[in-house]
Amino acid sequence: MSDLSPAPTAAPAAPRTFRLGRWIVGTVLGESVGFLVPVTGFALADAAELSGWSAWLLLVAFGAGEGALLGLGQSLALRGGSAAVPVGGWVAATAGAASAAWAIGMLPSTLADLGVAIDWALPVTWVLVGIGGLVLLASIPLAQWPVLAAAGVPRAWRWVPLGMAAWLAGLPFTFAPSPIVDAGTPAPVVFALFAASGVLMAVTMALVTGFGLRRMLRG
């Protein structure tokens, strides 16, 4: 008598776990190359003698380019793992948030170019700066959070404070070249200094978010 029972079906392959090294490489490459986009924007604004809102708009637009490359590097690093996200959604969220971050970050210098006096002795000034700083730090992780949540990452809200801590640790590197460059510094030197600062920022941010995300995925 023949056996008519259905043949056993193969169990679906479990998704690969989060790969820390891949995340670090993708994030560092994406942010390091991406940071050169607004650096180029600064050079173009200077060459075109743009100031005020014209320079602000240019940097906001170029900031979106930085975010897009960072998002691309991160989303490709997550492919095939337990935190895989749609590339298009992650890139769009990161690009839009980076543009918003640049919009906030460029406001003080833009207002100064327009001759708007900022009274740093007023408590309200520091309150506004503090709020702006928190919004700037939260912009990218806050935009990425829903994408991670939709991908099934447990308690994805933790990505927001984690991302804020990572950017808080990494962003100071971007200000490091400012005290040592001036109008007489050769353009290649300025470009190299800011490129190096971008790499340091990217490495710091990649390490903090990488170890944090790995912990998140463990529950």
Side-chain angles (χ1 to χ4, degrees):
M1 185 174 178
S2 61
D3 185 5
L4 300 179
S5 58
T9 57
R16 293 196 303 270
T17 56
F18 173 69
R19 296 170 64 179
L20 178 61
R22 187 173 174 179
W23 169 267
I24 291 174
V25 171
T27 301
V28 170
L29 286 177
E31 177 58 24
S32 297
V33 177
F35 187 65
L36 297 180
V37 177
V39 169
T40 303
F42 275 111
L44 291 175
D46 185 63
E49 299 183 349
L50 297 179
S51 62
W53 294 119
S54 298
W56 182 84
L57 284 171
L58 180 67
L59 268 298
V60 168
F62 275 56
E66 176 190 5
L69 289 173
L70 170 62
L72 179 62
Q74 290 179 329
S75 58
L76 292 179
L78 292 173
R79 287 182 69 181
S82 52
V85 294
V87 175
W90 189 267
V91 169
T94 310
S99 181
W102 275 95
I104 296 169
M106 287 293 297
L107 271 179
S109 60
T110 301
L111 293 175
D113 287 343
L114 295 171
V116 177
I118 300 176
D119 190 347
W120 295 101
L122 291 175
V124 68
T125 300
W126 290 101
V127 170
L128 291 174
V129 169
I131 293 173
L134 288 174
V135 173
L136 189 153
L137 292 174
S139 56
I140 290 178
L142 195 61
Q144 293 173 334
W145 165 29
V147 187
L148 274 181
V153 174
R155 291 185 288 172
W157 63 265
R158 293 177 292 173
W159 182 250
V160 178
L162 173 63
M164 292 177 69
W167 285 108
L168 181 63
L171 279 174
F173 287 108
T174 64
F175 303 108
S178 298
I180 57 177
V181 299
D182 53 32
T185 306
V189 174
V190 174
F191 191 86
L193 287 172
F194 277 99
S197 70
V199 172
L200 291 173
M201 173 184 65
V203 170
T204 303
M205 187 265 293
L207 288 171
V208 175
T209 54
F211 282 104
L213 183 55
R214 184 172 69 174
R215 185 177 181 130
M216 285 173 58
L217 293 171
R218 288 175 176 172

